Amino acid sequence: TILDAVPALLRALVAEPGLRYCTSLRVVVSGGEALPIDLVHAVFAACPGVALWNGYGPTETAITVCYWRGSPDVTVALLGTPWRNVQFYVLDAHLQPVPLGAGGELYIAGRQLARGYAGRPDLTADRFVPDPFAREPGRRMYRTGDRVRRHPDGTLEFLGRADEQIKLRGFRIEPGEIEAALRAHPAVAACAVVLAPSARGSDLQLAAYVVAREPSELDVAQLRTHLAARLPEYMVPAA
């Protein structure tokens, strides 16, 4: 009756005819990465009458902190508004609120914040910063790195990342970490890692562009083995 999945899995399910026969399905929940608007329409086409919800929230804020309910006629997928005891701030580089409708970085405050990163005081200080809007001293807010804008009704729209971090199938990935591992291979002179459409064109995957030190063809199998020894499987490029 309820299906909760990341967009990549939802896309695979709506592409298969089987989901159309799930007549008992009442609620579909998406989360873990950005929900594309074409996938919203595809879900409603496959399952007319279903309630579709998009959940948002980083791990550092106890996962989900807001939901947005979609409809077949929407033109953009939104993030929603904060739950009780959660505060959203859309701020510029000087921690000043941006005008309504303008893009800024999302900061999250409230009782659900994590204490920080275990054994990483430097990263904790960088991401968990003092909350200048709090009435109580010592309160903090989490710098998400997500760029958003606020609609007149208070709902947030996701615009992208303020840094190079990407979300793929629910995993956070730093392309620079993969590039550093690739550059550690003696045959690699330069490289770049990006998100690219898969062969089917309906999904995204990691793709690595590599320049060899010598004018010869690189052994892709060796590069995969090299990366697999240094990175988790979901960070090894598919192409």
Side-chain angles (χ1 to χ4, degrees):
T1 58
I2 299 175
L3 171 64
D4 189 340
V6 296
L9 178 56
L10 279 180
R11 190 177 294 279
L13 290 173
V14 299
E16 297 293 332
L19 193 61
R20 300 177 185 272
Y21 299 102
C22 294
T23 55
S24 62
L25 192 62
R26 297 185 294 104
V27 179
V28 174
V29 181
S30 174
E33 62 192 54
L35 176 63
I37 188 61
D38 70 302
L39 183 54
V40 172
H41 297 153
V43 169
F44 283 116
C47 306
V50 75
L52 174 63
W53 293 88
N54 185 30
Y56 169 82
T59 303
E60 292 85 347
T61 62
I63 316 296
T64 307
V65 287
C66 67
Y67 272 112
W68 168 80
R69 182 168 182 173
S71 61
D73 58 347
V74 295
T75 57
V76 62
L78 302 175
L79 299 183
T81 54
W83 287 357
R84 183 183 301 175
N85 292 326
V86 179
Q87 293 82 47
F88 283 176
Y89 307 123
V90 184
L91 309 177
D92 62 17
H94 304 288
L95 299 185
Q96 295 298 312
V98 301
L100 184 68
E105 185 172 355
L106 176 61
Y107 289 73
I108 302 176
R111 299 183 179 276
Q112 79 295 340
L113 252 61
R115 295 180 179 179
Y117 301 101
R120 292 294 306 275
D122 55 337
L123 189 59
T124 297
D126 180 61
R127 288 291 179 176
F128 292 86
V129 299
D131 183 354
F133 310 102
R135 296 180 179 178
E136 305 173 25
R139 297 298 291 269
R140 301 170 305 149
M141 57 184 183
Y142 171 65
R143 182 164 64 91
T144 67
D146 289 332
R147 294 190 66 255
V148 301
R149 65 182 169 201
R150 198 186 301 271
H151 286 223
D153 63 356
T155 306
L156 295 181
E157 177 185 351
F158 178 69
L159 301 178
R161 289 289 298 177
D163 53 23
E164 294 184 353
Q165 185 188 94
I166 59 177
K167 293 285 287 291
L168 184 63
R169 301 180 184 91
F171 291 104
R172 293 187 194 180
I173 299 173
E174 300 285 353
E177 188 175 355
I178 305 173
E179 293 166 359
L182 272 172
R183 286 194 296 270
H185 192 283
V188 175
C191 62
V193 175
V194 299
L195 275 181
S198 65
R200 294 185 302 174
S202 60
D203 195 10
L204 292 175
Q205 64 183 13
L206 286 174
Y209 294 83
V210 183
V211 177
R213 290 191 180 277
E214 302 295 334
S216 60
E217 185 174 340
L218 287 165
D219 189 320
V220 175
Q222 285 187 5
L223 290 181
R224 290 189 187 280
T225 301
H226 170 82
L227 290 178
R230 291 162 173 79
L231 301 171
E233 183 180 357
Y234 65 85
M235 292 179 66
V236 177

